[in-house]
Amino acid sequence: VFEQEQALCQICGLDCTLVCELIRITPIAERESRILELAPNFKNHSNLLARLVARPLPGNVWHADHIVPVFKGGGECGIDNIRTLCVCCHGVVTREQCKDRAALRRANRGGDVERDKQQRAREMARKQRSRHVERERARHCRLDQRARVCTSKREEKARARVCKLDLKG
């Protein structure tokens, strides 16, 4: 794909190789503004922008995309079904395909209202468990930080006592 399209986004025309090379040689403090100057699409994708600022690698600038989506049978096609997209355009295309796939699933199920309710209930429960886990993780982290502070204070006092003894002796 790279040899065929030279990492040019097939939707917006961004030269992803050039962007990657220019970002690599740009000081970290100036990378974000440089990226937005070279590729304004990143303005609407803060997570992708942050990833590229931190690690200016080709995989953070462009992706290979299936022209015919995998869920529509394009997964086993050859190289002629692959195109280069910048990560911003790939994100937009992927979101649209997710919507299409969800609509297709709903249509295939016949719009089973009860099943949709059950799925939403499972998703809500999963989110609540996830929030609980995050709260517990944060609480443990806070406790761990407090323990480190207490330990460092104890070590400081012990050093002070040793220094006093050395001065007296």
Side-chain angles (χ1 to χ4, degrees):
V1 175
F2 180 81
E3 290 175 9
Q4 185 178 357
E5 297 176 354
Q6 300 300 309
L8 291 173
C9 178
Q10 299 302 298
I11 293 177
C12 70
L14 180 68
D15 186 342
C16 299
T17 304
L18 179 64
V19 168
C20 190
E21 289 172 7
L22 291 174
I23 297 308
R24 257 191 224 151
I25 61 173
T26 303
I28 292 176
E30 300 170 13
R31 283 182 181 172
E32 186 172 335
S33 60
R34 184 75 168 143
I35 292 167
L36 292 174
E37 175 187 316
L38 295 167
N41 282 351
F42 276 89
K43 181 179 179 185
N44 301 323
H45 303 274
S46 58
N47 57 338
L48 299 175
L49 177 61
R51 190 178 304 150
L52 184 55
V53 167
R55 292 181 311 242
L57 303 170
N60 289 333
V61 183
W62 68 275
H63 292 158
D65 177 58
H66 290 91
I67 297 167
V68 175
V70 173
F71 79 97
K72 289 185 177 178
E76 295 185 23
C77 296
I79 194 79
D80 55 324
N81 187 45
I82 303 292
R83 64 181 172 180
T84 302
L85 295 181
C86 71
V87 292
C88 297
C89 291
H90 189 241
V92 170
V93 167
T94 301
R95 269 190 299 282
E96 290 301 315
Q97 289 174 355
C98 285
K99 289 177 187 175
D100 292 347
R101 193 171 60 235
L104 185 63
R105 273 193 234 124
R106 279 192 302 275
N108 288 340
R109 285 193 312 223
D112 188 346
V113 175
E114 188 58 37
R115 192 179 311 167
D116 288 345
K117 283 182 185 177
Q118 290 173 354
Q119 183 176 356
R120 280 195 299 276
R122 281 193 300 271
E123 287 174 14
M124 290 292 288
R126 184 187 54 75
K127 285 180 183 177
Q128 287 174 344
R129 282 192 304 273
S130 170
R131 283 189 211 116
H132 175 72
V133 168
E134 285 302 315
R135 280 194 301 269
E136 283 298 306
R137 200 173 284 147
R139 188 175 72 78
H140 286 293
C141 187
R142 285 193 304 274
L143 291 174
D144 188 40
Q145 288 173 346
R146 287 182 194 147
R148 274 191 243 132
V149 168
C150 291
T151 304
S152 63
K153 285 181 181 177
R154 274 190 240 123
E155 289 172 358
E156 250 178 66
K157 288 178 182 177
R159 278 193 219 107
R161 281 194 299 270
V162 170
C163 288
K164 286 179 185 176
L165 291 174
D166 286 344
L167 292 175
K168 288 180 183 177

